[in-house]
Amino acid sequence: QVQLVESGGGLVQPGGSLRLSCAASGSIFSIYAMGWYRQAPGKQREMVARIISDSSAIYTDSVKGRFTISRDHAKNTVYLQMNSLNSEDTAVYYCNADVDVFTNRIRRGNYWGQGTQVTVSS
């Protein structure tokens, strides 16, 4: 199986920045895509950003121009650089990955991290 471990969340003032990291480990053959999702209290989970193995990335409209997703393939890690944060960015952020996994064969699976809290407040 695959484990996704997130870090980098915390409390930041409006206009500030944070960088989230998510490192994947386990019986990984390769990672096709990694992404970040978030869920605010009382709201549905939404996709924030996603990046595919060829570095093609997509973003939800509300973060375009402020957030940047990137991958370090050698470290099986995805990052989310978050700038110009505002209160609407407050949420639990979850890492997600589409992974080709070694069991008795290579199999594609989808995995989630445990989530990391981002709070934007003065």
Side-chain angles (χ1 to χ4, degrees):
Q1 63 181 44
V2 174
Q3 183 181 42
L4 304 178
V5 179
E6 297 147 312
S7 62
L11 176 65
V12 65
Q13 292 184 326
S17 297
L18 286 172
R19 190 177 79 153
L20 305 183
S21 300
C22 172
S25 61
S27 300
I28 298 171
F29 180 78
S30 64
I31 299 177
Y32 174 72
M34 302 186 79
W36 291 94
Y37 295 70
R38 67 185 181 188
Q39 187 167 20
K43 297 184 179 180
Q44 294 181 325
R45 186 174 298 186
E46 66 171 344
M47 187 198 74
V48 178
R50 189 166 179 83
I51 187 166
I52 304 174
S53 58
D54 66 354
S55 298
S56 177
I58 56 174
Y59 300 88
T60 192
D61 286 344
S62 63
V63 309
K64 288 179 180 177
R66 300 189 297 121
F67 291 9
T68 303
I69 188 170
S70 60
R71 283 180 65 177
D72 185 331
H73 290 262
K75 297 180 179 179
N76 288 330
T77 298
V78 64
Y79 305 94
L80 185 68
Q81 179 66 48
M82 305 187 294
N83 299 325
S84 301
L85 287 161
N86 58 62
S87 61
E88 286 69 41
D89 297 315
T90 295
V92 177
Y93 284 70
Y94 297 90
C95 181
N96 177 264
D98 290 327
V99 183
D100 291 332
V101 181
F102 278 127
T103 53
N104 54 358
R105 68 185 194 278
I106 299 174
R107 181 172 60 88
R108 177 69 58 84
N110 184 263
Y111 299 87
W112 290 92
Q114 78 287 348
T116 184
Q117 178 71 48
V118 172
T119 302
V120 185
S121 177
S122 59

